[in-house]
Every structure is written in C-alpha cells, then in structure tokens.
Amino acid sequence: MSSASFHLVTEWTIDAPLEDVWRELSAPERWPEWWPSVKQVTLLQQGDERGVGAIRRMRWSTALPYELVFDMETVKVEPPFLIEGRALGELDGIGRWTLQGDGASCRVRYDWIVEVTKPWMVRLSFILRPVFRWNHGVVMERGRRGLLQRLA
C-alpha cells in the first residue's frame, strides 16, 4: 500500500433498531441534517429502485483546515445490511457500510479504502498519514454523535 492509500475502519454501536439506522444511512442527501462534517450532497444521477448507479457529489469539512469534494457512485445495495460506493475525485476508492441488527441496537462498520489525490496530500501523505487517520476518526465521530441525536 502506498503512503497515499488508506484502509480506515470505523465501528459504531447505535442504540436504535437496524431499520432506523438503515433509513438514515441509505439517504445521503439527508446527511447534512445530522452529520456536521457533511456540508452538501447533490444527486447528479438517479440510480435504480435500490439506488445502484446513483452518483452524488459530496462536500465534506474536516477537523483540519481543508474540505474534500468527491463523487460517490453507489455500486452495491443489499437492504438493510450493505451499501457500497465508489469514490472519485479528491479521494479515490471504495466506501462500504455494513449493518448488523442486534435487537434494539445496530452494529455499524464503515470501511473506507481510498487514495488521496490532492497533490499536496499525495506529496505529504508519508508524513501526515497519522494526522489523516486522526482526521478521519474525528469526522466519523461527528457522524456517530449526529446519528445518535437524530435517532434519539
């Protein structure tokens, strides 16, 4: 794996039923309502009845003083357990949500397997790798907290 490549894993336990968590995660256009780091989601292309083939432009703020913009194409959906997308733009790779119900709670795993493409990020990734990992953790924690509040 090059210094510009990352496989970041986030795991959450959400005190809400699987169906409620699925409803929120499967509607990215609504993420800015509850996930502070998601600044804008614009649907560029409709997908099929499950959402496969949908392309969304996503603008994210981070804990660091920069934003990321990339397009995310939904490539696989298995309700209510799996959503996988292909990112292209300032990040390039795969994002995969995996959900598992456990009665009144839901276990969520997010795999983010990407390469940074911004020239300054590529050049400095060998030094800033731990900072990028930390930044991702902060962004995902903002999402976890927002989702908990949304579902409370």
Side-chain angles (χ1 to χ4, degrees), residues 37-40 57-62 64-71 89-91 112 114-118 120-121 132 135-136 139:
S37 293
V38 182
K39 296 304 176 189
Q40 185 176 21
R57 179 151 300 140
M58 306 184 91
R59 186 170 59 87
W60 294 75
S61 67
T62 72
L64 299 171
Y66 66 83
E67 289 190 345
L68 292 168
V69 178
F70 53 89
D71 292 348
E90 293 177 342
L91 294 172
W112 193 220
V114 294
E115 284 193 30
V116 295
T117 63
K118 280 186 163 187
W120 73 266
M121 292 177 130
F132 290 159
N135 188 49
H136 176 78
V139 167

Side-chain angles (χ1 to χ4, degrees), residues 25-51:
L25 291 178
S26 65
E29 286 83 8
R30 291 197 314 253
W31 290 2
E33 297 171 11
W34 55 267
W35 196 330
S37 293
V38 182
K39 296 304 176 189
Q40 185 176 21
V41 178
T42 304
L43 184 64
L44 302 177
Q45 177 177 304
Q46 286 283 358
D48 67 11
E49 66 280 348
R50 286 188 167 189

Side-chain angles (χ1 to χ4, degrees), residues 8 11 15 24 36 42 47 55-57 87 93 123 127 142:
L8 305 167
E11 294 182 312
D15 290 329
E24 295 303 327
T42 304
I55 299 174
R56 295 172 178 88
R57 179 151 300 140
R123 280 193 310 277
I127 294 171
R142 289 174 180 169

